[in-house]
Amino acid sequence: MKGIKKITIIGSGFSALAAASYLAQSGHDVTVYEKNDSLGGRARQLKIDGFTFDMGPSWYWMPDVFERFFADFGKKTTDYYELIKLAPAYRVYYGINDFITIADNLDEIVATFESIENGSGAKLQKFMARAKSNYDIAIKDLVYRPGVSALELITTETALKVGEFFSNISRDVRKQFKNERLIQILEFPVLFLGAKPSDTPSFYSFMNFADFGLGTWHPKTGMFDVVRAMVNLAKEQGVQFVTNAGVDKIIVENGTAVALQINGERIASDLILSGADYHHTETLLDQKYRAYSEKYWDSKVFAPSSLLFYVGFNKKLENIVHHALFFDVDFYQHAKDIYDEPQWPKEPLFYANFPSVTDATAAPEGMESGFFLVPLAPGINDTEALREEYFEIIIKRFETLTQQNVRESIIFKESFCKNDFVSEYNSYKGNAYGMANTLLQTAFLRPKLKSKKVKNLYFTGQLTVPGPGVPPALISGKLVSELINKQFSEQ
């Protein structure tokens, strides 16, 4: 590699933090510019009256990916934070005293399936064996490829599984299982990839192994532990951070990115990497330098937006676990309301997370912190009145299904929805998770890590490869840093 390069990074989400550490490790002078007043991108913290909430990601899956990241720097996750394996992993509610609890180990999950549908236990074991095989191929190898060419997908292992790229999760699950509840539980993990199970290739069953095989974990004091760890690691590599630094423009001269304009100041750079929203980043360029048109972005399938509520309760709640899914209404109608006919769902599914069940620091003693999420279509109309209407819907159902009164115990609630995703994160149409991993939006078919029109401009994060989710974000940061180092080594 020829000389130290000055690299500026836009945004401080997981992918940007990962890339910053890798590039600084390679000897570059790296500075991260974050528009908000705290680091972590969507994985920020909210602190109110002794309560602490993770504002973004709340599921810690694929612990091996985190270990692999820190191992690249001669570290372990335990050097920075402690992990707790959740037992149970989560619970799915269908009615009053009617729920399925997912254990923290596959043997118990198999037994649960068998108790609900005769013969499903053996079928689940077979399904999980294939899911593990896909996980070994995908997460240990395939996703660590930069999406430059279709040839990256052609390996001895994938050649044997080509049919799984042209079938879908929903079809495969329904071939094996008849009970609708078991089907929904098996379809649930791929929702993290941002698309309907019927639009997600069968190969992505590796998410089921991430769920049942590797388990659900929780950093001791929340997902922000991971942000804090990655910031500390980056600082150890020499990375500098600047907050309250929203980028106004990417300055291009003679087809090369040469500087950022931040708060009216020109900041020169040898190379610019954006971990911010891909679509937004391109709007920082003059029109002629944008690689993707508005028509392109509008034609893509985006992951849902979300209506979020951060709620403080003045008492401990009953009949809850750390992660809870409320599937007591039509699972598929809600999906249609997101993807097929975008609208506010008439009967919303929702997710609730109570970190104080596991982490005593999440709420004052004797109290509970609750995080509620309703998936919504991106680009949907967002008003305070609609937020209030839907809070009443979900809190009423929550009280009924868990058989307790909680409304009068609410100390405060803060909401966050599509408009906030746009204003806080410059998120395209207010999406929460990025671009969905459908067949035609996988690997080399996603927006490129390297700009096609501007030299020395790169991208990382959930709109490029490998896709949505925290573990893929770490991988995206590694992939782009390798492309950048390759460019410098060839100069």
Side-chain angles (χ1 to χ4, degrees):
M1 196 172 299
K2 300 176 182 178
I4 296 174
K5 303 295 183 181
K6 180 176 174 57
I7 297 175
T8 54
I9 298 179
I10 305 171
S12 64
F14 286 113
S15 58
L17 292 175
S21 287
Y22 283 117
L23 291 167
Q25 183 189 47
S26 298
H28 302 300
D29 177 5
V30 180
T31 303
V32 174
Y33 294 91
E34 166 59 51
K35 76 178 284 286
N36 293 312
D37 59 7
S38 62
L39 301 174
R42 299 174 193 224
R44 294 187 295 167
Q45 269 189 333
L46 175 65
K47 289 179 175 285
I48 303 176
D49 298 338
F51 292 83
T52 302
F53 302 89
D54 285 314
M55 293 188 69
S58 58
W59 294 77
Y60 191 105
W61 276 4
M62 304 183 189
D64 52 319
V65 174
F66 295 86
E67 290 294 350
R68 184 168 173 175
F69 168 73
F70 284 101
D72 284 341
F73 301 89
K75 302 286 187 177
K76 300 177 181 178
T77 57
T78 51
D79 293 329
Y80 296 96
Y81 57 89
E82 180 183 338
L83 281 178
I84 300 166
K85 191 174 188 182
L86 298 182
Y90 55 93
R91 179 177 290 170
V92 186
Y93 290 83
Y94 297 97
I96 299 172
N97 288 326
D98 185 10
F99 54 80
I100 295 175
T101 299
I102 302 300
D104 65 341
N105 64 89
L106 184 56
D107 287 344
E108 286 188 54
I109 297 170
V110 166
T112 296
F113 269 54
E114 184 63 29
S115 70
I116 295 169
E117 179 183 318
N118 289 337
S120 67
K123 290 177 181 177
L124 179 62
Q125 289 177 317
K126 183 178 180 181
F127 182 86
M128 290 301 298
R130 191 175 72 179
K132 182 182 186 303
S133 171
N134 289 352
Y135 189 91
D136 290 341
I137 294 168
I139 304 302
K140 295 181 181 179
D141 179 26
L142 216 57
V143 295
Y144 284 90
R145 303 187 181 198
V148 173
S149 165
L151 296 177
E152 295 170 6
L153 296 178
I154 302 174
T155 68
T156 303
E157 292 84 0
T158 57
L160 298 173
K161 292 178 175 286
V162 66
E164 294 192 39
F165 287 92
F166 296 97
S167 185
N168 63 67
I169 290 289
S170 184
R171 185 182 305 150
D172 281 10
V173 169
R174 288 174 181 280
K175 283 180 181 177
Q176 299 295 318
F177 304 91
K178 304 304 178 188
N179 183 277
E180 198 62 40
R181 295 181 176 186
L182 299 184
I183 289 169
Q184 289 175 6
I185 289 171
L186 288 170
E187 289 181 336
F188 153 69
V190 302
L191 298 179
F192 285 102
L193 302 175
K196 292 190 298 184
S198 58
D199 290 331
T200 303
S202 301
F203 184 73
Y204 285 102
S205 67
F206 64 72
M207 291 295 293
N208 294 105
F209 180 73
D211 180 2
F212 290 174
L214 297 176
T216 302
W217 301 75
H218 183 71
K220 187 175 181 179
T221 60
M223 287 293 288
F224 197 73
D225 284 359
V226 185
V227 173
R228 193 179 293 112
M230 293 182 70
V231 169
N232 289 338
L233 174 67
K235 289 179 177 178
E236 290 165 14
Q237 309 307 310
V239 176
Q240 300 293 312
F241 291 92
V242 181
T243 54
N244 298 306
V247 177
D248 304 314
K249 187 175 181 62
I250 297 172
I251 300 171
V252 179
E253 296 177 354
N254 300 318
T256 300
V258 297
L260 295 178
Q261 181 177 306
I262 298 178
N263 298 330
E265 179 184 356
R266 178 186 170 111
I267 298 172
S269 179
D270 295 317
L271 185 140
I272 293 168
L273 167 62
S274 179
D277 179 274
Y278 204 124
H279 169 270
H280 169 73
T281 303
E282 288 218 311
T283 68
L284 302 175
L285 296 163
D286 291 338
Q287 187 76 43
K288 64 181 178 179
Y289 294 124
R290 299 174 190 175
Y292 302 100
S293 67
E294 289 298 321
K295 183 178 179 181
Y296 169 88
W297 292 112
D298 193 52
S299 71
K300 296 303 171 183
V301 179
F302 274 80
S305 184
S306 295
L307 169 59
L308 305 166
F309 294 102
Y310 310 99
V311 186
F313 298 94
N314 66 8
K315 67 177 183 180
K316 300 301 288 185
L317 303 187
E318 301 172 356
N319 305 321
I320 60 168
V321 295
H322 189 114
H323 291 298
L325 304 169
F326 292 83
F327 287 0
D328 55 308
V329 296
D330 192 329
F331 185 93
Y332 302 101
Q333 182 58 50
H334 191 150
K336 289 179 182 177
D337 292 339
I338 294 173
Y339 296 103
D340 301 336
E341 300 172 4
Q343 61 184 298
W344 281 80
K346 294 180 180 63
E347 293 187 302
L349 302 169
F350 66 97
Y351 155 66
N353 168 24
F354 302 97
S356 46
V357 168
T358 305
D359 171 18
T361 69
E365 186 175 356
M367 301 186 187
E368 207 86 78
S369 58
F371 168 112
F372 296 82
L373 181 154
V374 178
L376 297 174
I380 203 164
N381 184 41
D382 171 19
T383 67
E384 287 299 323
L386 281 166
R387 295 186 191 195
E388 284 300 313
E389 177 184 341
Y390 275 77
F391 183 75
E392 287 301 313
I393 291 171
I394 65 172
I395 206 67
K396 181 178 180 181
R397 281 183 26 219
F398 175 77
E399 287 184 317
T400 299
L401 295 173
T402 61
Q403 295 186 281
Q404 62 188 313
N405 295 318
V406 302
R407 199 182 310 259
E408 294 180 0
S409 298
I410 294 173
I411 304 172
F412 65 83
K413 74 173 188 297
E414 295 283 335
S415 67
F416 197 98
C417 197
K418 188 267 292 185
N419 290 348
D420 301 301
F421 280 101
V422 173
S423 65
E424 295 294 303
Y425 310 129
N426 295 311
S427 173
Y428 181 69
K429 292 186 177 180
N431 80 82
Y433 312 117
M435 185 183 288
N437 263 334
T438 61
L439 177 62
L440 297 179
Q441 295 180 177
T442 292
F444 69 98
L445 296 173
R446 298 178 71 80
K448 301 300 183 185
L449 291 166
K450 182 178 182 180
S451 172
K452 295 187 289 186
K453 291 193 174 182
V454 180
K455 186 178 179 182
N456 292 349
L457 175 62
Y458 288 78
F459 300 83
T460 188
Q462 58 190 8
L463 268 66
T464 183
V465 293
V470 179
L474 302 188
I475 295 168
S476 186
K478 179 172 185 170
L479 294 176
V480 75
S481 66
E482 290 173 344
L483 283 184
I484 291 169
N485 283 332
K486 181 181 178 182
Q487 174 185 316
F488 287 146
S489 68
E490 293 173 348
Q491 289 178 349

